[in-house]
Amino acid sequence: MDQVKWGIIGCGDVTEVKSGPAFNKVPNSELVAVMRRDAQKAANYAFRHHVPVWYSDADALINDPNVNAIYVATPPDSHAEYAIRAMRAGKPVYVEKPMALNAVECETMNRVSNETGVPLFVAFYRRALPYFLKVKELIDQYVIGDIRCVLIQLQQPPAITEGQVQPNWRVSPGVSGGGLFHDLASHQFDFLEYALGPIKTASGLARNQAGLYAADDIVVANFEFESGVLGTGSWCFTVNKEQRTDQTQLIGSKGKITFCFFEKFIIRVETEKGLDEYTIPFPEHVQQPLIDLVVKDLRGVGKSTSTGETAARSSYILDQITRH
């Protein structure tokens, strides 16, 4: 296809800044239609973002002849359903992360993509962000030598207002596939596999300690890459605000790289030569670099680094750790 004309299924919060505007800023790409089950919200989004057509029915958007690619931006419980409908209609799909509720659904989506020959991409946009590409470059350039181990720490306070937990589909396992671990660690494991190669084994413990919602609120994990690199991680979502932590360390034979996945834009590199720091802010629309790669892939002039096949890996790892 020469011009990629996108339709969005589920124009919620993630599409307001992170992704939606980028579809009109990437060359040979435009956003031509949006859909949301709430017709008033769909119309409002279309008006604010200057989208010419809106729908309250997903099939109507999928079958719109002016739409030739679909972005599925709903919660994970409907990713597989909408993506499969779109692929069977012959329209390439870019789906939000995590790719689906679990690895089994991911396998089904990839099978349909293979059967139909319709491309499937997933919004693991850290594979294209300059900040994370710098981390990968430092690894590839052997700046800290052979990587020995990976240490992940992610701690966040619960979202509480006036003593009440804020409603959040991300902590409803039937909608998200798990809890905040599934939502956030999917990014972490996807990028780590991109940077360090496949993870061979993963195991862990997942518990609900605070009882604020149904999902796990604490997870600890061990994992091993095929290269022999070992990793460990801990995720806790019920600490106080002073304990908030987002830190990943890559320990090498010649030094250490420290970086964040979500909150800061500094990369620290410590070697025998001293300390180097790189500050690389995220772009305004964090998904734009990956969307650019997806559009190039669809036009036959480039390749996306995030596909259904690569994205399914993180869901498999999450399932192994939480034993879902």
Side-chain angles (χ1 to χ4, degrees), residues 82-302:
Y82 288 135
I84 288 170
R85 281 196 221 172
M87 286 187 288
R88 292 208 182 280
K91 300 191 177 181
V93 176
Y94 175 67
V95 65
E96 264 304 324
K97 47 59 57 187
M99 182 173 166
L101 284 177
N102 50 53
V104 173
E105 286 194 351
C106 294
E107 290 172 5
T108 302
M109 294 163 72
N110 280 323
R111 185 169 63 251
V112 172
S113 177
N114 290 330
E115 289 172 355
T116 59
V118 177
L120 174 61
F121 308 96
V122 182
F124 280 118
Y125 53 85
R126 279 166 177 75
R127 287 176 175 245
L129 282 177
Y131 178 92
F132 293 95
L133 292 179
K134 183 63 178 181
V135 174
K136 188 175 187 305
E137 177 188 290
L138 292 167
I139 296 168
D140 293 344
Q141 291 181 346
Y142 206 63
V143 171
I144 61 167
D146 294 312
I147 307 299
R148 303 301 191 200
C149 65
V150 179
L151 308 175
I152 302 173
Q153 274 190 301
L154 185 64
Q155 299 172 179
Q156 295 180 352
I160 296 177
T161 302
E162 297 179 353
Q164 298 294 318
V165 178
Q166 295 177 1
N168 189 341
W169 60 262
R170 290 175 176 81
V171 295
S172 175
V175 179
S176 65
L180 292 172
F181 172 75
H182 271 70
D183 183 51
L184 299 174
S186 61
H187 268 304
Q188 294 173 310
F189 284 113
D190 178 79
F191 174 73
L192 288 173
E193 283 213 325
Y194 180 52
L196 298 173
I199 289 174
K200 180 170 66 173
T201 61
S203 62
L205 296 171
R207 298 288 184 267
N208 182 311
Q209 291 182 330
L212 298 175
Y213 40 72
D216 307 320
D217 58 22
I218 185 169
V219 178
V220 294
N222 295 315
F223 44 98
E224 180 181 5
F225 294 82
E226 288 184 1
S227 64
V229 174
L230 299 183
T232 185
S234 63
W235 297 258
C236 183
F237 302 101
T238 58
V239 301
N240 61 36
K241 62 182 181 179
E242 288 76 19
Q243 293 172 281
R244 190 179 186 105
T245 303
D246 174 11
Q247 177 178 276
T248 297
Q249 293 186 322
L250 305 176
I251 311 299
S253 60
K254 297 180 179 179
K256 176 174 66 176
I257 298 172
T258 303
F259 66 101
C260 300
F261 269 96
F262 306 105
E263 296 188 352
K264 297 176 183 177
F265 308 119
I266 299 173
I267 303 167
R268 294 170 56 91
V269 182
E270 299 172 64
T271 66
E272 61 181 9
K273 297 178 182 178
L275 171 66
D276 289 317
E277 290 190 346
Y278 304 89
T279 301
I280 308 174
F282 289 2
E284 179 184 6
H285 311 298
V286 292
Q287 295 200 29
Q288 186 168 334
L290 181 59
I291 291 170
D292 182 58
L293 290 181
V294 169
V295 169
K296 287 176 179 174
D297 199 318
L298 291 174
R299 297 184 63 242
V301 296

